[in-house]
Amino acid sequence: MNITDEEIRRRANEVFSAMEKRSTLEEMQMIHRAFDFACEAHRDQRRKTGEPYIIHPIAVAMIAASELQLGAAPVCAAFLHDVVEDTPCTNEKIRDMFGDDVAFLVRVVTKQKKRSYDMSKQLDNFKQMLDSMHNDIRAILIKLADRLHNMRTLDSMRPDKQMKIAGETDYFYAPLANRLGFYTIKVELENLSFRFRCPDVYQYITELVEKEKERENAHLQAFESRIDSILRSEGIQFYREVEYKQPYNIWRKMQTTGQDFEHLEGRHFTRIVFPEDMYLSRKNMCLKIYSLLTDQFKERPNSIVNYVDQPKQNGYQAFHLQVLSDYGVWEEIHIQSEKMRTKSKLGYLFDSGQREIDINKWLDDFRKVMKDVADHPEQNKDGTYFMQSVKASFYNDDIQVYTPEGKAVLLPKSSSAIDFAFDIHTEVGMHAKYAKINGHLASIKTKLKRGDSVEIGTAPEVWPGEDWPQYAKSYKALKHIHLYLDRKPRPQYLRCPHCNPIPGEEVVGFQGDNGCITVHRRDCAEAIGLASRYGDSIVAVDYQSQPEVVYPATVTLKAVDRQHLLSDIIDSISNKLHLSINDLHTVTEDEIVTTTINFFIHDYMELRTVVSSILSIPDVDEVSYLNK
């Protein structure tokens, strides 16, 4: 690609112009020097596109200066961010020429070359960046700018390289941009990643959106004109825009709802933005516009979402609602002030003087989790625990729910009552038995919705179950659940999934190639087949019960119907033997009762005791059992 020195200088001047508005003379001189130094360092280098390499640092600096509104030191570091990694220049030279602040930022964004990595090269680099947030957050923002430009120019890469970079972006950078409040950057990163990961699907949805724009143009224009007329007649100052959801957002919603494009609601929305009013609060202005619109349009029940009083954790504020258009479609409307709108672009960097979200508290929480992750004794070497912990804590959208006393609790989106219980107190989470959600009894695995009122019931004998990690989303809940499950005694052997033996039964063991021993009942058809083919793998096993390990079992009984029969059956298992019944199903036909009971036992002798106890009940005729 033929890019002249004049074109390079023109692009650099755009960065300088953006920074002149908010920089001192001394800072501007440093920014010019950083550009000149980067130009010289990268003079003989080219990008995959064929253009001079310096085009990339200029573009990153422009994103930092214009889209992220960063200061002089980060913009200098943006110019210099690849110098140490790709040229003979050292970080010490950067420090000598540009000072400690710029050198720190360049060092953090430079990938460290090691002979061996603690987790993997990618995860070590992620951790290096996240660790920098112990001091300040600017290095992360430079990496966001770097990644954004790399994604914008990813066409020149090989497909395998595109997949690697797109995967990193979708997993790491886009959610981080969202958490920091850079919604527009988050959306662009998600869609660029989607475009390179799934190009055919991306193109298909893009074409559907374009067709819809043409098809619905006349309807939307009439709807928007009516909005304009309503608000202008009341002297409201505003501007309005229609925004179509991006392909990735549409695809993700199609996946979660199971709907096709044509039946998917919310493919676009109307944004109404008003200037700040010194006489009327943002909330009151939102309510005024809401009132005017719903005087003329039918409001969809339960469609209001008030992010003005309850901003998202990343600072996003708006008043959402849906109204019925003249052409019979529920249209979504977002009402925002100009400062709310700006904040959704600049995230926490935008300070209106009325900051609803305290970034320092957010960073303090982040540092605590990072330290806890680093100090965690069970942290695994491949980095899975590290990334899961960080992602669970800071990479999700949030919902706000409440205690019965009205205290707000902020949880990751899709959290369950388990997460709520652990947020209240670790001991509450460890012994959570049930939940009351909006006054109704519910499982602790129930997914919570924004605005739910939640109460947790506990019992000392209840502990986290093996399936709890499937329902927990928050870092605190997942941490304590995994700690408990990791330390919980495990069965000594694998159980055959066909015969499901329990301690005390006549069993035989087969040792596999991986050294693991699988236990079978001696009458198991699978065991008989293995014995005929792999007799040399048979081993003796000492299959003993363990106090904290229980096994599901099922008994079916038949009895003559009478009063109190069912209570006698339950009493024989729960009260006399102190075993937990998981499920009970009973049918009475022509005075004959058939009852199936699922419960938990420790060993075969306990199961035989249950059978004997039930058989001793008057009018019970027969009992059969099936261990699962």
Side-chain angles (χ1 to χ4, degrees):
M1 184 175 294
N2 186 25
I3 294 182
T4 64
D5 290 344
E6 289 75 14
E7 175 62 17
I8 291 172
R9 174 58 64 175
R10 184 193 67 77
R11 297 189 187 188
N13 283 337
E14 291 180 350
V15 180
F16 303 148
S17 298
M19 293 304 297
E20 281 173 352
K21 304 169 187 176
R22 57 179 190 276
S23 303
T24 65
L25 178 60
E26 184 180 0
E27 287 172 335
M28 286 305 303
Q29 290 173 343
M30 182 173 68
I31 292 170
H32 278 273
R33 286 191 292 110
F35 164 69
D36 292 337
F37 188 89
C39 256
E40 184 60 33
H42 294 297
R43 177 169 296 280
D44 298 323
Q45 295 177 342
R46 296 266 169 180
R47 301 196 80 209
K48 295 288 185 182
T49 58
E51 64 190 14
Y53 193 87
I54 190 61
I55 291 297
H56 171 61
I58 293 173
V60 175
M62 188 61 191
I63 294 170
S66 181
E67 296 181 49
L68 296 178
Q69 298 280 300
L70 297 180
V75 171
C76 288
F79 275 128
L80 302 167
H81 76 277
D82 279 336
V83 167
V84 174
E85 186 175 340
D86 295 340
T87 78
C89 178
T90 64
N91 196 255
E92 288 70 24
K93 186 169 185 179
I94 298 293
R95 180 179 292 106
D96 292 340
M97 294 191 65
F98 300 99
D100 291 337
D101 197 22
V102 173
F104 162 75
L105 295 172
V106 172
R107 178 178 60 78
V108 172
V109 299
T110 299
K111 295 177 182 176
Q112 301 299 309
K113 296 176 182 177
K114 304 178 182 178
R115 290 186 177 180
S116 63
Y117 294 91
D118 296 334
M119 295 177 286
S120 71
K121 183 177 180 181
Q122 285 173 286
L123 288 178
D124 277 19
N125 287 325
F126 293 155
K127 190 172 188 302
Q128 175 186 327
M129 286 185 288
L130 293 172
D131 282 339
S132 74
M133 291 171 67
H134 285 262
N135 298 292
D136 69 43
I137 205 168
R138 295 172 301 164
I140 286 284
L141 303 182
I142 296 169
K143 284 301 296 185
L144 279 177
D146 180 33
R147 179 50 57 112
L148 184 56
H149 185 249
N150 281 334
M151 290 300 296
R152 287 172 176 174
T153 56
L154 200 57
D155 296 86
S156 60
M157 293 287 188
R158 300 192 316 266
D160 60 319
K161 195 74 170 176
Q162 289 177 345
M163 184 64 196
K164 173 184 177 292
I165 295 173
E168 286 180 353
T169 300
D170 198 45
Y171 186 85
F172 185 84
Y173 291 99
L176 183 60
N178 180 57
R179 170 55 77 183
L180 294 175
F182 298 104
Y183 179 75
T184 53
I185 291 178
K186 169 249 189 186
V187 169
E188 185 175 358
L189 287 174
E190 283 179 340
N191 279 281
L192 287 169
S193 173
F194 185 49
R195 173 188 163 198
F196 290 106
R197 286 187 295 106
C198 309
D200 291 343
V201 180
Y202 178 90
Q203 183 61 32
Y204 172 68
I205 295 177
T206 300
E207 290 172 359
L208 290 176
V209 171
E210 291 304 316
K211 288 177 182 176
E212 183 187 24
K213 287 181 180 179
E214 294 179 12
R215 184 176 65 246
E216 299 297 328
N217 182 55
H219 281 153
L220 266 179
Q221 281 192 356
F223 176 70
E224 304 296 328
S225 296
R226 190 174 172 194
I227 288 178
D228 293 349
S229 176
I230 292 169
L231 298 184
R232 284 172 182 160
S233 67
E234 296 294 326
I236 303 292
Q237 295 185 29
F238 69 99
Y239 71 84
R240 172 191 46 72
E241 54 193 9
V242 175
E243 184 170 315
Y244 277 81
K245 300 289 178 67
Q246 294 295 316
Y248 178 75
N249 185 284
I250 292 174
W251 172 83
R252 182 170 56 188
K253 201 168 181 180
M254 289 168 65
Q255 299 303 303
T256 56
T257 63
Q259 296 176 318
D260 62 15
F261 180 85
E262 295 299 330
H263 293 90
L264 193 70
E265 290 189 347
R267 299 189 294 267
H268 64 265
F269 63 89
T270 298
R271 181 183 291 112
I272 298 171
V273 183
F274 58 86
E276 300 289 324
D277 190 324
M278 61 184 297
Y279 300 108
L280 201 60
S281 70
R282 299 175 187 175
K283 178 181 176 180
N284 286 340
M285 193 64 184
C286 288
L287 291 174
K288 183 176 181 179
I289 294 174
Y290 157 77
S291 178
L292 291 171
L293 293 178
T294 53
D295 282 345
Q296 302 295 322
F297 293 103
K298 181 177 177 59
E299 174 189 348
R300 188 172 194 172
N302 304 314
S303 69
I304 290 177
V305 183
N306 180 5
Y307 290 118
V308 179
D309 287 337
Q310 300 171 11
K312 291 186 177 183
Q313 181 70 6
N314 61 18
Y316 174 83
Q317 286 184 295
F319 190 91
H320 293 193
L321 73 148
Q322 293 180 42
V323 298
L324 188 63
S325 66
D326 296 333
Y327 41 92
V329 173
W330 292 109
E331 291 286 354
E332 186 174 340
I333 297 175
H334 298 179
I335 306 171
Q336 288 182 301
S337 72
E338 287 178 342
K339 288 184 178 179
M340 292 180 196
R341 178 71 181 128
T342 304
K343 191 167 188 175
S344 68
K345 296 178 180 179
L346 294 181
Y348 90 94
L349 292 176
F350 176 72
D351 189 349
S352 66
Q354 302 178 31
R355 297 177 66 177
E356 293 80 4
I357 300 299
D358 186 348
I359 189 62
N360 292 321
K361 181 183 183 305
W362 186 89
L363 286 172
D364 286 343
D365 290 342
F366 187 94
R367 291 167 187 137
K368 288 175 185 175
V369 170
M370 288 295 292
K371 184 179 186 305
D372 195 35
V373 170
D375 294 344
H376 197 293
E378 279 87 10
Q379 182 178 348
N380 50 335
K381 292 293 289 181
D382 66 1
T384 303
Y385 176 81
F386 163 71
M387 282 310 298
Q388 284 179 344
S389 300
V390 173
K391 198 172 180 70
S393 300
F394 301 106
Y395 276 31
N396 293 289
D397 284 333
D398 301 301
I399 58 171
Q400 190 160 276
V401 295
Y402 299 91
T403 66
E405 295 77 27
K407 178 185 175 184
V409 175
L410 203 65
L411 295 171
K413 188 177 180 181
S414 299
S415 287
S416 67
I418 293 173
D419 297 289
F420 180 89
F422 276 100
D423 192 272
I424 296 302
H425 195 281
T426 301
E427 286 302 305
V428 174
M430 294 299 289
H431 301 288
K433 187 172 185 177
Y434 64 87
K436 282 191 175 180
I437 302 173
N438 303 320
H440 297 283
L441 191 64
S443 163
I444 56 166
K445 300 171 186 175
T446 305
K447 185 185 292 187
L448 301 178
K449 303 186 298 297
R450 181 182 175 88
D452 281 343
S453 173
V454 188
E455 184 179 358
I456 301 295
T458 62
E461 71 275 9
V462 175
W463 294 91
E466 296 285 345
D467 61 344
W468 280 29
Q470 301 174 35
Y471 300 94
K473 299 296 180 185
S474 65
Y475 167 72
K476 185 176 181 181
L478 287 168
K479 170 193 169 183
H480 288 289
I481 292 169
H482 282 303
L483 275 174
Y484 171 77
L485 294 178
D486 290 345
R487 294 167 180 171
K488 183 180 176 182
R490 300 288 174 180
Q492 296 171 289
Y493 307 104
L494 299 176
R495 299 171 73 210
C496 168
H498 303 285
C499 65
N500 295 300
I502 57 177
E505 287 189 297
E506 293 183 319
V507 296
V508 63
F510 289 84
Q511 187 166 31
D513 294 336
N514 58 1
C516 293
I517 297 175
T518 302
V519 178
H520 301 254
R521 286 206 325 238
R522 285 180 175 267
D523 60 356
C524 172
E526 183 77 10
I528 294 170
L530 287 171
S532 67
R533 301 192 306 274
Y534 308 106
D536 291 340
S537 67
I538 297 176
V539 294
V541 293
D542 184 19
Y543 193 37
Q544 299 292 325
S545 62
Q546 296 174 270
E548 294 189 33
V549 179
V550 293
Y551 304 88
T554 300
V555 297
T556 300
L557 64 93
K558 284 192 175 183
V560 178
D561 192 22
R562 65 169 170 82
Q563 193 174 20
H564 303 307
L565 174 65
L566 190 58
S567 64
D568 288 346
I569 294 170
I570 294 172
D571 181 69
S572 70
I573 299 175
S574 292
N575 296 333
K576 291 181 179 178
L577 300 177
H578 307 291
L579 299 177
S580 297
I581 294 177
N582 190 45
D583 181 65
L584 185 148
H585 179 72
T586 187
V587 176
T588 302
E589 186 175 356
D590 297 330
E591 301 300 319
I592 302 300
V593 176
T594 303
T595 301
T596 301
I597 310 169
N598 296 321
F599 54 97
F600 293 97
I601 55 173
H602 294 86
D603 54 36
Y604 181 64
M605 290 304 298
E606 200 165 52
L607 176 60
R608 292 182 65 177
T609 302
V610 171
V611 172
S612 298
S613 179
I614 295 174
L615 277 172
S616 68
I617 299 171
D619 296 312
V620 172
D621 184 67
E622 62 179 84
V623 180
S624 60
Y625 65 87
L626 171 67
N627 57 307
K628 296 182 178 180

